[in-house]
Amino acid sequence: MTPCELSQARSVAPVLLLALTQGLALGWSSPAVAKLRAGEGPFKPTIDELSWIVSFFSLGILAGSLVGAQVFARAGRRTTLMLGPVLLGACSAVTFSGSSAQPVYLARLLGGAGHGIGVSFSSIYVAEVTDTALRGRLILVTNLLLMAGPLLSYAAGPLLSYSVLALAPLVTAAAALVLAVGRGWMKETPLYLASKGKADEALANLRALRVGKKDEEVRGEFAAILKTVKQQQSGGGSSLRDVFADPTAKRAAILCLVLTGSFAALGITTVLAFTQQIVEEAGAPLSPAVCSVVLVATNIASVLGSMPVVERLGRRTILAGSAFGNAAALGSLTAFLLARDVLGADVSALHWLPLAALVAYMASTGMGIITIPHVLVSELLPQRAKASVAPLSGALVALSAFALHKSFFLVGRALGFGVPFAFFALYNLGYAIFVATCVPETKGKTLAQVQEMLASAAAATDKKKKK
């Protein structure tokens, strides 16, 4: 690793630990719910209380996205992101001390808020402190660690007590704060500082992030940053109304809202929240705990496999292919469940299919859905739109995840579990078509070049409308 790459990696390290902490908190629900149902926790909740425990995390994401947006615009990227470990650490402590469902509701709300901050702003921070050579890879690593958290929770969950499982996120949250604040590794982004008129501080931070580069190269990059800030500030304000009044910003905002606001509707949040329960309902041949580990390990391996090819094949190709793969995998699972539960067909000869379909889904999701949307958001959104569009996307995920998590078992038990999975399959198909036809390719382009490309596309669309 070169000195330049090392300086960027050091600044991103607290964000990577935040992602791991988010993953541990996200993955807590599946093994913890199993322990609570088995009477291995401090209380034994009802089915309704269990659904609220899982769903409050989604409401927390909504709160974190909206509150984080205000801090993000006023106090900067660094301060906003470091609220994540604080909230996730509080979630861990309250979960550990809670002896009834109500404190755990509060804990999951706090954890969801920390997660909402991380998913809304981590990729933006990484994109703004890294160069084009490292940007895609470090955003992929961030999302890889986000998925490593559930894997650790699922793998260690059966071996740990409820209390130890609750405290796990506190360790990584504390480590993130030590590196960011105690060691001073995490730098504020030059783009943000430049947008606030702090040119000297912005240049100093850019030099700290580009150790080993020639001064003329650093100054050239800084000049491009200043040009980008000037162009975006001359385009108008940063409110949603201002963003949607500008054709270029509006185009980027709509693309990003669809790309990242669809996570829950694509099925990934439901599968992660109820992994063991879904495997049990589907009748997989292995134990739910083992299947959970297999599924998340597959997802992580797929993310790793995508890293060498993301810059070679391009974001759009990988993302569209990932969504098509999801639709095929979930379609086969839907057919199995409908045949078994609705038609009453004998599917014993296909007992392997549910697990195979879920493995294929997690592999396909890891190839693109988990990682590429975050990369695209960091590249497509203009500076002035990030503070308003990113939290709105988080809010969309939170509200849809809350609705889907709360209704998943209700719909499944009333109409058959093939119904929710049919919805997920159809949504993935529509998402794939949208990506293939509407999303521009950003591979190998600087942030300034991406904005120029969007402006040209918006101008061409406006010209067609006038004709």
Side-chain angles (χ1 to χ4, degrees):
M1 182 176 283
T2 66
C4 182
E5 292 173 335
L6 181 60
S7 64
Q8 295 171 62
R10 279 164 58 96
S11 190
V12 171
V15 179
L16 300 181
L17 283 169
L18 169 60
L20 181 58
T21 308
Q22 291 174 242
L24 289 170
L26 182 65
W28 172 90
S29 60
S30 186
V33 163
K35 287 182 180 295
L36 289 171
R37 291 179 68 184
E40 298 177 19
F43 63 97
K44 192 168 184 178
T46 64
I47 293 295
D48 185 58
E49 287 175 332
L50 285 174
S51 70
W52 279 112
I53 287 172
V54 174
S55 300
F56 263 111
F57 194 81
S58 300
L59 292 180
I61 294 174
L62 174 62
S65 300
L66 297 179
V67 174
Q70 303 305 312
V71 183
F72 185 81
R74 291 168 173 77
R77 282 68 165 129
R78 181 178 179 272
T79 300
T80 303
L81 282 169
M82 285 305 98
L83 287 176
V86 173
L87 290 166
L88 288 161
C91 165
S92 184
V94 174
T95 302
F96 173 79
S97 60
S99 57
S100 64
Q102 286 70 33
V104 181
Y105 293 165
L106 173 61
R108 299 308 286 167
L109 195 65
L110 292 170
H115 184 65
I117 288 172
V119 296
S120 295
F121 306 114
S122 288
S123 61
I124 294 173
Y125 175 83
V126 175
E128 291 184 4
V129 298
T130 56
D131 54 27
T132 54
L134 273 184
R135 185 199 310 150
R137 282 182 284 168
L138 282 176
I139 292 177
L140 286 173
V141 171
T142 303
N143 287 282
L144 178 66
L145 288 171
L146 181 60
M147 293 308 303
L151 176 62
L152 291 172
S153 294
Y154 295 165
L159 307 175
L160 301 176
S161 68
Y162 176 87
S163 298
V164 174
L165 189 63
L167 286 176
L170 186 59
V171 178
T172 51
L177 290 170
V178 168
L179 292 184
V181 182
R183 301 295 298 274
W185 283 12
M186 191 176 183
K187 304 294 183 185
E188 184 54 86
T189 75
L191 190 64
Y192 171 78
L193 292 171
S195 72
K196 295 299 180 181
K198 300 178 180 179
D200 292 341
E201 191 177 346
L203 180 57
N205 276 17
L206 185 62
R207 284 187 172 129
L209 292 164
R210 302 293 186 267
V211 175
K213 274 196 170 184
K214 295 179 180 179
D215 190 61
E216 55 265 29
E217 291 181 302
V218 176
R219 286 190 173 275
E221 184 177 353
F222 185 61
I225 289 173
L226 291 178
K227 180 182 177 182
T228 300
V229 170
K230 185 177 180 181
Q231 289 175 338
Q232 293 177 358
Q233 289 180 340
S234 65
S238 60
S239 69
L240 280 175
R241 179 178 296 178
D242 293 328
V243 169
F244 278 86
D246 177 359
T248 302
K250 178 182 178 181
R251 183 182 180 87
I254 291 173
L255 288 172
C256 293
L257 288 173
V258 175
L259 289 172
T260 57
S262 296
F263 280 138
L266 292 168
I268 187 62
T269 63
T270 299
V271 171
L272 287 175
F274 297 108
T275 304
Q276 294 192 27
Q277 292 73 34
I278 289 171
V279 167
E280 188 176 344
E281 291 288 343
L286 302 176
S287 71
V290 172
C291 286
S292 298
V293 173
V294 169
L295 291 175
V296 180
T298 299
N299 190 261
I300 292 176
S302 183
V303 172
L304 285 171
S306 72
M307 292 176 69
V309 299
V310 66
E311 295 294 342
R312 189 179 310 163
L313 297 180
R315 283 84 154 116
R316 180 172 57 191
T317 302
I318 294 176
L319 185 56
S322 174
F324 274 122
N326 283 357
L330 293 176
S332 63
L333 179 60
T334 298
F336 176 91
L337 293 172
L338 291 177
R340 186 192 68 181
D341 301 335
V342 178
L343 301 178
D346 181 9
V347 294
S348 57
L350 298 173
H351 66 281
W352 51 268
L353 194 147
L355 180 58
L358 287 170
V359 167
Y361 170 73
M362 294 300 276
S364 184
T365 298
M367 281 299 294
I369 295 294
I370 291 292
T371 55
I372 302 300
H374 295 292
V375 178
L376 287 170
V377 166
S378 68
E379 295 173 331
L380 293 173
L381 275 183
Q383 168 71 12
R384 65 188 182 89
K386 290 175 180 177
S388 55
V389 175
L392 179 58
S393 174
L396 289 175
V397 173
L399 291 172
S400 55
F402 175 77
L404 289 166
H405 293 173
K406 197 74 180 74
S407 63
F408 180 70
F409 274 104
L410 295 175
V411 173
R413 287 174 177 168
L415 304 176
F417 282 93
V419 173
F421 282 109
F423 168 78
F424 294 143
L426 291 172
Y427 197 96
N428 273 277
L429 181 60
Y431 187 90
I433 294 170
F434 173 82
V435 171
T437 56
C438 300
V439 175
E441 182 53 70
T442 62
K443 179 185 70 171
K445 294 180 173 64
T446 66
L447 298 181
Q449 289 171 334
V450 171
Q451 292 307 308
E452 290 174 2
M453 180 176 62
L454 285 170
S456 298
T461 302
D462 187 55
K463 189 175 180 180
K464 287 180 181 179
K465 286 181 180 179
K466 288 180 179 179
K467 287 182 178 181

